[in-house]
Amino acid sequence: GADAATAGNYGVFWIVPFECVVSEIREVHQTLGTDAGAVSLQIERLQGTEALDAGDALLTTAFDLKGTINTVNIGTLTATLANRTLNRGDRLAMDDAGTLTAVANVTVVIEVTIL
C-alpha cells in the first residue's frame, strides 16, 4: 500500500518470479481522492526496459480512487490475454492519473494462475 498522496509512492510493486496469467486484480483505499478532476489507478505490465506509462494496461477501466473508502473493488481485466500473460522478469506497476491529493493507504492484490 502507499501511504502518502504523491505520485512518487506509485510504481513497480512486483517482479514476476514465474510464468503466469493475471486472473484478478483487487484494490481498496482508506482515504479517497478529493481533487476536482479524475483520480485513478491503472495496473500495467512492464517488459524489458519499459518505463512506467509505457507498458500494457491490465484493466479496461482504471480504479477510481475517489470511490467509496474501505470497499474492495474488483477490476475488469483486459480481454487481451497476451497482455495479462506474465513472463519471469516482467514487472507490474501502479500507474496513477490525476492529482492524488488526500488519497492514502491504497492496497492492490493481484491473483495469478501459474502456467
Side-chain angles (χ1 to χ4, degrees):
D3 292 327
T6 66
N9 286 339
Y10 295 79
V12 172
F13 63 90
W14 193 47
I15 300 171
V16 180
F18 45 74
E19 291 186 4
C20 57
V21 174
V22 174
S23 52
E24 188 171 86
I25 301 175
R26 294 184 299 276
E27 177 276 337
V28 65
H29 50 276
Q30 292 179 3
T31 306
L32 57 84
T34 57
D35 188 71
V39 182
S40 62
L41 181 72
Q42 176 64 257
I43 306 302
E44 70 177 357
R45 175 190 68 168
L46 303 173
Q47 298 178 297
T49 59
E50 285 181 323
L52 189 62
D53 294 327
D56 299 303
L58 297 185
L59 301 170
T60 57
T61 302
F63 290 114
D64 179 7
L65 297 180
K66 292 172 70 173
T68 306
I69 63 168
N70 300 321
T71 300
V72 176
N73 301 293
I74 300 173
T76 301
L77 298 173
T78 177
T80 307
L81 181 60
N83 290 355
R84 292 188 289 119
T85 301
L86 308 176
N87 294 305
R88 188 170 193 267
D90 286 352
R91 294 160 287 137
L92 293 183
M94 294 187 287
D95 184 11
D96 62 90
T99 301
L100 298 172
T101 306
V103 174
N105 297 312
V106 175
T107 302
V108 173
V109 173
I110 307 295
E111 183 178 297
V112 298
T113 302
I114 299 173
L115 296 178

